[in-house]
Amino acid sequence: MSEKVQIPQHNHCRTCGKAFIGTERYCSDECASKNKGEINKKKKELYVLFGVLMVIMIIAIVAGMVI
Ligand SMILES: [Zn+2]
């Protein structure tokens, strides 16, 4: 009989990379909220970038009208 070592179903935390047993994406609520905060930060950065681009476009259009 061949013996098989059963590896329990485990995941790696998306924030700290720690292995844990379960089907969640994060090892703890702390890591989950930490990751969410980082995603929100990146979203905000994207909005700021988009806003700056819009302002530049508006300035370019207004400058084109004036000149
Ligand atoms: Zn974690």
Side-chain angles (χ1 to χ4, degrees):
M1 250 166 94
S2 62
E3 253 184 79
K4 268 188 181 173
V5 180
Q6 279 242 316
I7 299 164
Q9 184 72 37
H10 75 283
N11 268 321
H12 290 274
C13 176
R14 294 204 175 189
T15 302
C16 67
K18 209 168 82 183
F20 64 96
I21 296 177
T23 52
E24 304 289 318
R25 286 179 180 180
Y26 310 100
C27 67
S28 64
D29 289 339
E30 199 186 314
C31 278
S33 59
K34 216 168 150 186
N35 202 280
K36 268 183 194 164
E38 258 169 52
I39 286 168
N40 280 340
K41 220 170 95 186
K42 274 183 187 169
K43 264 190 188 171
K44 268 184 195 166
E45 278 174 10
L46 254 170
Y47 283 134
V48 168
L49 198 79
F50 191 72
V52 169
L53 271 169
M54 286 291 280
V55 169
I56 288 168
M57 267 176 72
I58 289 164
I59 288 170
I61 290 164
V62 170
M65 278 175 172
V66 169
I67 297 163

